[in-house]
Amino acid sequence: MDFAIPSHIAAMREQISQFLREKVYPNEQAWFDYDEKAYPACSEDHPEIKQLQAEVKELGLWAGHLPREAGGMGLSIMEYGLLNEIIGRSYFAPRIFGSNAPDSGNAEILWHYGTAAQHEHFFWPLQQGAVRSFFSMTEPDVSGADPTLLQTTAELVDDQWVINGRKWYSTNANGAGFGIVMAMTDPDAPTHLRYSQIIVPAETPGLTLVRPISVMGHTTGGGHWEIEYTDVHVPAENLLGKRGQGFAIAQTRLGPGRIHHCMRWLGQAQRAFDLMCEYSTKRVAFGGPLADKQVVQHWIAESAAEIQAARLSVLHAAWQIDQAGAKSARIDISLIKFSVAAMLMNVLDRAIQVHGGLGVSDDTPLAFMWRQGRASRIYDGPDEVHKMVVAREILKRYGYPERKV
């Protein structure tokens, strides 16, 4: 594994950093305010963001997660990770650079599993940023850690899928053009062949946005939504992939999705670290700057060590995927999913503490980053599940018998 950053990637990292400093960071608060004041409008549809998307496309920095034939940059996972660490420093930047969740994951599975017609009607408008999308998998009445319990159903009736159920945490559903829904299509099949994924246009009768979900006391237009599906009819050809392939498609989506999250969390942690260091040199208490205090120096040193360890772990997982595919890196991905999430929260907590009352206000991005970051230990598999996966694989080397849950 070569730790050197390729020269063309280094140049793009600096280009993206400059773009964020000049055109994104100065406008973040206005975009946050747009969410609050124009609710239920979505900040991701703000005209300024649309304009910046066009500029990014002109720069050739659009959709780093997709191959060139799919309109992306054709980067390896490691190369994309090195860019995404910079992009991840701002909540809005992934949208501006065409790589935000859930659109990025939806685009990937549409590209890999979609038909020619699905590419034309759903993939290309999504890839070009003409529409947004959502992913409907999690349900309020069953554990998200065990998707085999999902209750939403889809019955094939006269060449139409009829969908019934309730989902939540369908991110960015408000104003989206379509969603991809995980539903039970074969209740009598083996457990992991019971579910399929189906594309549902947002304007389909019976699809109701029930409510935005308040997260840590904040509700914004582009956040998480609860959705009711009541006799929602879509054509049979809206099936994504093959019938019963829902879990296989989900893993195709979630594996890269998890490492993409970790890359962005590195960026968030680095930005919080920079803010902490800068503020500690300027804020004076008890006769000198906070940077003079031993406890603050310890926090800075510990944060630097944790960020570096997380960065190397993420890059190793990315390298493993590039070398042998996502399946070979399953344990590496689970390992970074919980360890990088913990690192993010550690660094954010220290940065907030150094900022004191300012840190828990919304006058800096830290409080928002903390509210968003806390969910990192839950979505795409809670810490406990990923730790269980890692531990079981390790214990096999010591003769521990494999058991099914």
Side-chain angles (χ1 to χ4, degrees), residues 166-234:
R166 182 176 289 259
K167 301 285 189 179
W168 70 345
Y169 285 95
S170 293
T171 306
N172 287 349
N174 185 48
F178 67 91
I180 298 177
V181 181
M182 182 83 135
M184 181 183 292
T185 52
D186 296 273
D188 297 324
T191 302
H192 287 88
L193 298 176
R194 293 175 185 172
Y195 294 88
S196 301
Q197 294 193 24
I198 301 170
I199 305 168
V200 181
E203 299 301 320
T204 306
L207 188 160
T208 304
L209 299 184
V210 177
R211 64 180 178 117
I213 300 168
S214 177
V215 176
M216 299 291 186
H218 281 245
T219 303
T220 57
H224 308 295
W225 287 79
E226 184 169 343
I227 301 178
E228 180 77 32
Y229 297 89
T230 305
D231 291 333
V232 174
H233 287 66
V234 297

Side-chain angles (χ1 to χ4, degrees), residues 39-355:
Y39 174 81
C42 177
S43 59
E44 296 193 0
D45 296 322
H46 195 288
E48 291 176 0
I49 289 183
K50 292 292 187 183
Q51 175 58 38
L52 292 179
Q53 287 177 332
E55 293 182 29
V56 165
K57 290 176 184 177
E58 287 293 322
L59 293 171
L61 297 171
W62 180 260
H65 59 294
L66 291 173
R68 291 191 182 279
E69 58 269 28
M73 297 173 66
L75 301 174
S76 69
I77 297 293
M78 181 178 288
E79 290 172 332
Y80 177 55
L82 290 166
L83 297 188
N84 215 18
E85 180 184 353
I86 308 299
I87 294 170
R89 295 184 181 189
S90 171
Y91 170 75
F92 298 98
R95 177 64 179 166
I96 292 170
F97 284 83
S99 60
N100 62 300
D103 290 344
S104 56
N106 286 347
E108 286 175 322
I109 59 176
L110 279 166
W111 178 252
H112 289 297
Y113 294 95
T115 64
Q118 289 170 352
H119 282 182
E120 178 183 355
H121 294 296
F122 301 107
F123 171 77
W124 286 112
L126 180 65
Q127 190 279 340
Q128 294 162 0
V131 301
R132 292 188 288 104
S133 65
F134 60 93
F135 189 66
S136 259
M137 182 169 176
T138 307
E139 297 180 2
D141 296 327
V142 299
S143 170
D146 186 358
T148 65
L149 301 175
L150 293 173
Q151 297 174 350
T152 297
T153 61
E155 183 180 1
L156 191 59
V157 180
D158 298 329
D159 294 328
Q160 295 268 318
W161 290 108
V162 183
I163 304 171
N164 285 281
R166 182 176 289 259
K167 301 285 189 179
W168 70 345
Y169 285 95
S170 293
T171 306
N172 287 349
N174 185 48
F178 67 91
I180 298 177
V181 181
M182 182 83 135
M184 181 183 292
T185 52
D186 296 273
D188 297 324
T191 302
H192 287 88
L193 298 176
R194 293 175 185 172
Y195 294 88
S196 301
Q197 294 193 24
I198 301 170
I199 305 168
V200 181
E203 299 301 320
T204 306
L207 188 160
T208 304
L209 299 184
V210 177
R211 64 180 178 117
I213 300 168
S214 177
V215 176
M216 299 291 186
H218 281 245
T219 303
T220 57
H224 308 295
W225 287 79
E226 184 169 343
I227 301 178
E228 180 77 32
Y229 297 89
T230 305
D231 291 333
V232 174
H233 287 66
V234 297
E237 55 265 28
N238 281 27
L239 179 71
L240 182 61
K242 297 179 181 179
R243 185 168 178 166
Q245 204 175 11
F247 279 119
I249 295 175
Q251 286 306 311
T252 300
R253 184 185 194 279
L254 290 172
R258 286 168 179 144
I259 196 168
H260 294 171
H261 279 314
C262 290
M263 295 164 180
R264 286 189 284 265
W265 296 339
L266 280 169
Q268 293 279 292
Q270 185 64 51
R271 188 176 181 191
F273 179 79
D274 292 341
L275 290 170
M276 173 172 60
C277 292
E278 290 168 3
Y279 190 78
S280 73
T281 65
K282 299 173 183 177
R283 188 67 163 181
V284 174
F286 301 104
L290 294 178
D292 285 347
K293 316 308 179 196
Q294 188 179 62
V295 68
V296 174
Q297 293 175 356
H298 284 190
W299 289 342
I300 290 171
E302 290 164 3
S303 297
E306 290 174 15
I307 292 171
Q308 180 68 347
R311 179 179 290 114
L312 294 175
S313 294
V314 171
L315 288 175
H316 180 267
W319 175 82
Q320 181 75 5
I321 293 174
D322 287 337
Q323 295 300 308
K327 189 174 181 179
S328 71
R330 178 169 175 256
I331 303 308
D332 300 81
I333 292 172
S334 281
L335 193 151
I336 63 172
K337 172 59 176 64
F338 69 80
S339 63
V340 178
M343 176 278 297
L344 172 62
M345 296 309 295
N346 287 342
V347 175
L348 282 171
D349 188 70
R350 295 176 190 131
I352 289 171
Q353 194 72 12
V354 167
H355 282 76

Side-chain angles (χ1 to χ4, degrees), residues 192 388 392 396 400-405:
H192 287 88
M388 176 181 69
R392 285 182 172 176
K396 285 180 187 178
Y400 180 76
E402 184 174 3
R403 297 184 176 89
K404 293 185 177 179
V405 178

